Amino acid sequence: VLRGVASALAQLHRDGYTHGDMYAHNIMLGPNGIPKLGDFGATFGYRGTAVEAEPFERIEVRAFGGLAEELGARVSATAVVGCDGGTAGTGGAGSAQLPDSGVGGGGAVGNWAGTGEEATVRGALSRLAARCMGPISGRPSFEEIVRELNVGM
């Protein structure tokens, strides 16, 4: 989920657009487990204007940090980051299920539950969320977030 959303937002900002409403309620998870970012009603372009791009990206990074924090607390680390190559929502390894909700595949929470590796991934997500929600000058870009999620987890 986080890799897909960060990649989509990185692409938007590379193209000179800001989503403008980046929250969990605007993310859909398809049957194949691939997240889809929706609701582009608040999207606007800033390329070719006198508006500096970086502050808009850093605002969306703040919202992404909240998403990372919430997902890290509620969903298996495998499903949130896709650590084991499993597909969220299929009922197999890496399947996502929100606690007590019955949402997700086959009742599985993923193969990280109760392992030391899950605690490591959750710690990394917590640190990423803190950087994303920290002072605006220290927030990473979406390109940096994508690299971190691809390399570090």
Side-chain angles (χ1 to χ4, degrees):
V1 172
L2 292 177
R3 280 184 181 141
V5 171
S7 293
L9 291 166
Q11 183 65 52
L12 276 174
H13 285 279
R14 271 194 305 274
D15 292 343
Y17 294 92
T18 189
H19 183 272
D21 194 18
M22 205 308 292
Y23 295 101
H25 63 266
N26 288 327
I27 300 167
M28 298 174 288
L29 194 61
N32 59 0
I34 297 174
K36 303 290 183 188
L37 190 57
D39 189 359
F40 288 83
T43 300
F44 62 92
Y46 50 77
R47 179 171 286 168
T49 68
V51 176
E52 189 175 332
E54 186 176 326
F56 291 112
E57 183 173 11
R58 298 306 193 237
I59 290 168
E60 286 196 330
V61 165
R62 168 67 175 81
F64 180 86
L67 176 68
E69 181 178 66
E70 290 291 324
L71 287 177
R74 288 178 171 74
V75 181
S76 75
T78 303
V80 170
V81 184
C83 302
D84 70 347
T87 304
T90 63
S95 147
Q97 180 176 10
L98 298 175
D100 303 319
S101 72
V103 174
V109 178
N111 62 0
W112 291 72
T115 70
E117 290 178 276
E118 182 172 357
T120 299
V121 171
R122 287 183 190 270
L125 285 176
S126 178
R127 288 186 298 278
L128 174 62
R131 286 189 13 254
C132 290
M133 295 188 296
I136 196 164
S137 62
R139 293 178 192 164
S141 69
F142 281 112
E143 295 287 347
E144 292 167 325
I145 292 168
V146 168
R147 279 194 301 275
E148 184 171 335
L149 291 172
N150 284 336
V151 174
M153 294 183 216

